[in-house]
Amino acid sequence: MKSEPGQTQSVVFVVDDDPSVRDALTSLMSSVGLCVKTFGSPSEFLADSLPEIPSCLVLDVRLPGLSGLDFQTELNRINISMPIIFITGHGDVPMTVRAMKGGAVEFLTKPFRDQDLLDAVQLALDQDRARRKIQQQTSHLKSKFEHLTPREREVMSCVVSGMMNKQIAAHLGVSEITVKVHRGNIMRKMDAGSLADLVRMADDLGIKVGKR
Amino acid sequence: VHRQMPTKFKDLRTSSKLLLLCSMFSIAIATTTYVLVAEKLIAINFAQKELAGTRYLTTLRSVYAAILTGRDLPGSGKQGGLSPSAVLGDLAATQSRAAGSMDTSQLEDSLSVTLSELWSGKAEAPSINMLVPKALAQARALISRIADDSNLALDPDLDTYYLQNLAMNRLPLLLGQLGEVQSLFESPAAGAAPNTLNVRILVLSGLVDSTLDGIKSDINAAYRGNPGKAFKAAMDSDVSSLVSAATSYLESARQQLAGGAPVSSDDRDGSQRYSFAVDEAIGTWTAIQAELDHLLNQRISRLSLRLWGSLLLIAILVSLSILTAALTHRHITQPLERLEAVARKVRKRKDYSLRAKYVAEDEIGGLAAAFNDMMSELAAARERESAEQARIAGLQADLTRAARLTTMGEIAATIAHEINQPLTAIVTNASAGLRWIGNPSPNVEEAKAALARIVKDGHRASQVIASIRLMLKRNPRDKAQIDINDAVREVLAISHDELQSREIIVETALSPELPTVMADRVQIQQVFANLIMNATDAMSLIVDRPRTLRVVSANNDPASVTVCVEDSGPGIEEADRDRIFTPFYTTKSEGMGLGLSICRTIIEDHGGRLAAARGQAHGSIFTVTLPTGSAAA
């Protein structure tokens, strides 16, 4: 049993056209405390609003209308980056390769071992959680960066590229005192404890180095 | 009504329209002809009436001759054969002839009375002197009436008008005047003073002069109206001799008066000149009348010639118009009707090779040509269409056949999916149930629900299998007498591409004298297709010898037909020989293990057998045995 407390803060989506399979999957995942939401077709899934919590998708390859693999492509296209676990009655090598290339977490053949599925779901949820965390941090950093004045941003790009205050003052045509004031503001606004912190933040934000 | 008329006319058949046109044209021609003929006939009648007038004149001329030259007729009868009774009889006969057309009877009667009195011989000299002028006046009045009633006075031509004026007016006047002058000489009125007589003679001679002038001017006018030389030649001598005779008579009469000699009846010379002048006048009169008759007859013949000519022209025109209408009918209506008939025939028989047979440079010919072109286009289009349809039909037949033969694989895939789904559900539910019970706080309700779903899905799986069985049990009505060789050939033909791509050599030995078999063609072909595909798969790894597929049909036993499918693959392991027909047993990496099982079911359903054996050198032989028509169930 890998059931952990706090699992309700995530959701597993299931898309399979067979109601028996949907019911069985719901029961299995509920038994380990996972929150499950099932759909009979891709369009039903897309019609539903997606919550902003860690989630993954258990997707049948053989679906009415759009195949599971095509649906994966479609999701990538519309920028829904949710980890996918494929389940299929009859999987061959090319199909598996394509699914994995498309970013699938796992490719399971029906009937599958329950532990295999639950492990895959766990892995997928962890992946999504991590992804969301990074995303959140980046956006937080971004909002802080947005509070800098254009001049401060200029100074910051110079600082993280390793320039001395004197060099920066000469480069921007201002006094060294002014550079020092900007630097203090930057460190305060970005909530950076050290120069190394600031450099890492700049790296996360993808700020290009302000060398001439 | 105004609106209906055009549509009605439009709806008439073209032949009726032509008939209408033709009849209207005929009516117009008939009317014109009637007017023309009537006009000509009026002119002819006019001239004929004039002729009747001149005929009357002939009689009156003899009357004049009798009065003026034979006043002593009864006695001597010196004027040849002219007897008073003959002259009177002639007059009466002429009058009776003209009675219908001219109103002359009264004038004639009074003239006859005067003449009878004159020639009775009883009359005395003084009364004769009175009677002669009276008769002359009456004769002139009669002539004048004749001129009016016989239309002579209304003559339309210049020459004939002046001639009739001479004949009906001037010459009678001249003769009357001459007669009066002579009578004054011959028997002067009793008791008349010589001076009075002389004056009278002088006045009269002056009148004669003026009459002669009138005659001259008339004849000149007539010449103007008729420039023909013969006419002038015929007239000229007569008129000039008349003028000279009358002038010489007047000369002698004047000389007599100037000489102071008393008027005497014995004057031989004077009376001689007188009778010469009268003879000349009568002669001229006769000549003029002859010329007048001649001209009138000429006019009549000319008119009738013109009449007949016009009638002939009209007849020709009418026949030409009828001919044109007939030709129009023939060249418009008939081709159109034929075109219509062809179009109708095409519509009825759907025979697009029919053509309109009409060749001409006109619009109808163009229409017929366009019609024929259109028919050719239609025929070509239909040909293309039917070719296309045949192609599509053939394609569809091929597809259907191919689909039927591939159904086996499809069925297998479907079966796999249909059974795999409940199986997945069963396995998953079982796992879930175990977890619900095995949890630190077991949830029996959830476990029970999972078990209930397992039961349901188990039933569902068995239903799938039952429906497969049902599907394989075919309707016996689909069975028919089929030629096994044909069925085999068809399967080989459809598999040809696949066999070729796998580099397989196909050999057939199909017995030509195979009896037919009562079977479901599609199912039997599915079996053959399956056996052939199995053989092909079995040979896929063979590289050291030819991949040979051999299909043999035979009829060794009269009650059955056998078909062997042999391959040069690895062959069947002895242990596998019976198990290969078991459902879901397979030696292939990708296979359901259903093919041979279903094949055997099908063959047994047909009352036959499906057996497998090892080949002599290598490979395997699958033998299908089917009972012949007579032995089939």
Side-chain angles (χ1 to χ4, degrees):
Chain A
M1 291 289 152
K2 292 215 168 174
S3 174
E4 289 167 27
Q7 285 286 313
T8 42
Q9 274 308 299
S10 61
V11 65
V12 180
F13 297 106
V14 174
V15 177
D16 193 311
D17 64 325
D18 193 324
S20 294
V21 175
R22 289 206 298 271
D23 289 348
L25 285 173
T26 307
S27 182
L28 177 66
M29 286 189 273
S30 303
S31 73
V32 295
L34 286 166
C35 178
V36 186
K37 219 168 171 191
T38 61
F39 303 94
S41 68
S43 50
E44 274 177 45
F45 172 73
L46 285 179
D48 205 63
S49 59
L50 301 175
E52 281 299 322
I53 49 171
S55 51
C56 71
L57 175 62
V58 176
L59 184 59
D60 189 10
V61 171
R62 181 170 163 154
L63 284 171
L66 201 63
S67 92
L69 292 169
D70 292 336
F71 185 48
Q72 179 190 30
T73 313
E74 176 71 11
L75 285 177
N76 281 338
R77 196 180 63 78
I78 59 176
N79 240 335
I80 295 180
S81 45
M82 189 183 283
I84 297 174
I85 299 144
F86 278 105
I87 48 173
T88 179
H90 175 75
D92 54 17
V93 176
M95 211 190 272
T96 317
V97 168
R98 189 182 153 189
M100 289 312 199
K101 270 190 171 173
V105 175
E106 187 61 275
F107 197 96
L108 298 170
T109 308
K110 288 180 187 174
F112 37 78
R113 283 185 56 236
D114 57 343
Q115 198 56 55
D116 290 348
L117 177 71
L118 292 174
D119 287 349
V121 167
Q122 205 57 59
L123 180 65
L125 287 176
D126 288 346
Q127 272 185 11
D128 199 42
R129 203 170 284 124
R131 184 185 60 84
R132 278 170 191 282
K133 200 172 173 188
I134 290 166
Q135 205 175 32
Q136 206 181 353
Q137 280 173 348
T138 310
S139 68
H140 184 59
L141 209 59
K142 255 185 193 155
S143 76
K144 283 195 280 189
F145 183 70
E146 267 163 34
H147 280 93
L148 298 184
T149 64
R151 183 55 115 189
E152 285 166 353
R153 287 181 201 175
E154 253 178 316
V155 173
M156 179 171 163
S157 102
C158 292
V159 169
V160 297
S161 68
M163 286 164 84
M164 308 294 287
N165 284 352
K166 203 179 269 177
Q167 287 175 306
I168 295 167
H171 178 56
L172 296 175
V174 294
S175 70
E176 211 177 322
I177 301 293
T178 315
V179 174
K180 274 185 182 167
V181 173
H182 282 313
R183 241 182 123 135
N185 284 341
I186 292 164
M187 295 304 272
R188 185 173 47 78
K189 281 186 180 173
M190 291 302 287
D191 207 9
S194 64
L195 180 61
D197 265 357
L198 194 68
V199 171
R200 193 174 40 75
M201 282 177 193
D203 195 36
D204 285 349
L205 284 166
I207 291 169
K208 66 174 167 62
V209 179
K211 268 226 166 104
R212 73 209 84 157
Chain B
V1 176
H2 184 258
R3 256 194 340 187
Q4 268 180 347
M5 270 309 282
T7 48
K8 272 186 182 169
F9 182 74
K10 196 181 75 189
D11 293 342
L12 283 177
R13 293 200 64 82
T14 310
S15 52
S16 311
K17 282 177 196 160
L18 279 172
L19 199 68
L20 198 68
L21 189 72
C22 217
S23 44
M24 276 160 75
F25 184 69
S26 302
I27 289 169
I29 283 188
T31 313
T32 318
T33 311
Y34 173 76
V35 171
L36 190 99
V37 168
E39 199 182 304
K40 286 277 185 295
L41 283 178
I42 285 168
I44 288 170
N45 281 339
F46 191 93
Q48 269 167 351
K49 209 167 178 187
E50 283 182 75
L51 278 176
T54 63
R55 271 199 299 279
Y56 209 134
L57 203 61
T58 312
T59 310
L60 281 171
R61 207 165 50 236
S62 55
V63 168
Y64 263 87
I67 295 169
L68 293 176
T69 59
R71 68 187 49 166
D72 43 356
L73 266 178
S76 66
K78 73 176 182 186
Q79 276 296 319
L82 270 179
S83 70
S85 58
V87 170
L88 281 173
D90 211 7
L91 191 61
T94 307
Q95 165 56 31
S96 68
R97 271 205 304 277
S101 55
M102 287 176 260
D103 184 19
T104 52
S105 56
Q106 269 187 330
L107 293 170
E108 192 268 342
D109 281 348
S110 46
L111 177 63
S112 297
V113 169
T114 313
L115 289 178
S116 308
E117 205 179 329
L118 182 63
W119 292 330
S120 62
K122 293 167 197 162
E124 296 299 312
S127 69
I128 288 176
N129 269 357
M130 295 255 293
L131 282 172
V132 168
K134 189 183 175 189
L136 286 172
Q138 282 175 338
R140 245 200 106 205
L142 181 58
I143 287 173
S144 183
R145 174 63 60 85
I146 289 165
D148 287 343
D149 281 8
S150 69
N151 303 330
L152 275 167
L154 299 171
D155 192 277
D157 290 349
L158 203 59
D159 51 354
T160 42
Y161 175 79
Y162 282 107
L163 284 182
Q164 70 82 26
N165 197 40
L166 286 167
M168 308 305 281
N169 185 19
R170 303 278 192 209
L171 284 168
L173 182 65
L174 179 68
L175 283 169
Q177 284 165 347
L178 287 175
E180 212 174 328
V181 172
Q182 188 58 23
S183 70
L184 285 175
F185 276 115
E186 282 178 5
S187 43
N195 277 347
T196 320
L197 192 68
N198 285 354
V199 168
R200 230 170 116 57
I201 288 171
L202 275 174
V203 168
L204 275 172
S205 66
L207 284 173
V208 169
D209 270 339
S210 94
T211 306
L212 284 174
D213 284 346
I215 287 171
K216 276 188 268 185
S217 91
D218 275 8
I219 198 72
N220 281 327
Y223 292 159
R224 280 205 308 280
N226 191 337
K229 284 222 170 80
F231 175 66
K232 191 173 178 180
M235 292 288 93
D236 229 7
S237 60
D238 279 329
V239 173
S240 51
S241 55
L242 162 67
V243 169
S244 62
T247 312
S248 77
Y249 170 61
L250 283 181
E251 288 282 313
S252 71
R254 279 190 196 118
Q255 275 174 3
Q256 227 173 327
L257 289 175
V263 176
S264 154
S265 56
D266 298 332
D267 181 8
R268 299 303 301 167
D269 181 46
S271 65
Q272 223 168 26
R273 286 179 189 213
Y274 166 68
S275 48
F276 180 65
V278 168
D279 282 351
E280 278 298 321
I282 297 279
T284 305
W285 199 0
T286 311
I288 284 173
Q289 198 201 324
E291 195 58 35
L292 186 58
D293 282 359
H294 172 65
L295 285 175
L296 285 173
N297 277 322
Q298 221 174 28
R299 191 197 297 169
I300 287 170
S301 59
R302 205 168 53 231
L303 281 170
S304 35
L305 193 71
R306 267 194 219 154
L307 176 64
W308 287 112
S310 303
L311 284 175
L312 188 70
L313 191 68
I314 285 164
I316 288 168
L317 274 177
V318 167
S319 9
L320 273 178
S321 73
I322 288 170
L323 190 71
T324 311
L327 282 177
T328 309
H329 179 257
R330 201 172 140 194
H331 290 133
I332 291 178
T333 314
Q334 281 186 357
L336 280 178
E337 279 169 358
R338 255 183 284 159
L339 220 58
E340 191 193 348
V342 171
R344 204 183 297 126
K345 217 186 270 177
V346 168
R347 204 171 53 237
K348 212 182 270 175
R349 294 196 203 153
K350 306 271 175 244
D351 178 2
Y352 291 85
S353 64
L354 288 172
R355 291 288 178 275
K357 291 180 192 69
Y358 185 79
V359 179
E361 292 293 314
D362 65 354
E363 295 93 328
I364 304 285
L367 179 65
F371 178 84
N372 286 340
D373 284 353
M374 189 186 74
M375 292 301 300
S376 305
E377 290 264 324
L378 265 179
R382 275 189 76 84
E383 216 163 276
R384 278 199 300 274
E385 202 175 292
S386 58
E388 183 70 4
Q389 271 174 352
R391 203 180 65 78
I392 288 169
L395 216 61
Q396 272 175 344
D398 283 353
L399 277 175
T400 313
R401 234 171 349 212
R404 274 178 184 169
L405 290 173
T406 54
T407 324
M408 194 76 79
E410 294 255 321
I411 289 170
T414 309
I415 291 167
H417 181 76
E418 288 301 315
I419 292 174
N420 210 24
Q421 287 297 104
L423 273 178
T424 306
I426 286 168
V427 171
T428 310
N429 275 318
S431 310
L434 285 172
R435 281 174 192 273
W436 284 119
I437 290 168
N439 270 355
S441 50
N443 189 330
V444 180
E445 285 308 307
E446 284 289 347
K448 269 170 83 177
L451 287 173
R453 285 196 295 273
I454 290 173
V455 172
K456 197 188 77 188
D457 290 331
H459 281 304
R460 180 180 154 199
S462 82
Q463 264 171 12
V464 171
I465 290 164
S467 63
I468 295 166
R469 279 225 189 85
L470 203 69
M471 189 171 68
L472 290 174
K473 221 176 239 167
R474 292 290 295 247
N475 194 334
R477 273 178 303 180
D478 291 338
K479 287 186 181 176
Q481 292 291 340
I482 62 159
D483 182 346
I484 290 292
N485 286 342
D486 260 6
V488 169
R489 275 191 213 105
E490 210 171 77
V491 173
L492 284 173
I494 288 163
S495 322
H496 179 261
D497 287 353
E498 177 80 16
L499 293 169
Q500 206 169 39
S501 73
R502 300 223 199 166
E503 293 165 28
I504 285 163
I505 301 157
V506 179
E507 288 176 6
T508 54
L510 304 176
S511 165
E513 280 150 12
L514 226 50
T516 58
V517 168
M518 187 71 176
D520 182 326
R521 188 187 181 90
V522 174
Q523 284 193 334
I524 294 295
Q525 286 188 328
Q526 282 179 341
V527 169
F528 289 140
N530 220 272
L531 295 179
I532 289 167
M533 280 304 132
N534 280 349
T536 311
D537 289 342
M539 291 185 284
S540 58
L541 296 175
I542 303 298
V543 285
D544 57 339
R545 54 176 183 266
R547 300 172 183 177
T548 312
L549 173 72
R550 205 173 135 77
V551 184
V552 183
S553 73
N555 184 27
N556 302 329
D557 171 10
S560 64
V561 169
T562 56
V563 178
C564 297
V565 179
E566 307 173 20
D567 63 62
S568 60
I572 313 158
E573 293 298 323
E574 196 58 37
D576 286 338
R577 224 182 72 178
D578 290 321
R579 284 164 58 193
I580 52 170
F581 293 110
T582 321
F584 302 107
Y585 177 83
T586 182
T587 56
K588 294 187 232 173
S589 57
E590 287 199 2
M592 285 290 301
L594 272 175
L596 283 175
S597 145
I598 293 172
C599 285
R600 180 172 257 188
T601 313
I602 289 170
I603 297 300
E604 283 174 357
D605 195 41
H606 281 79
R609 290 186 313 279
L610 174 60
R614 285 185 69 84
Q616 281 179 340
H618 33 66
S620 48
I621 305 170
F622 283 85
T623 309
V624 175
T625 311
L626 284 167
T628 54
S630 53

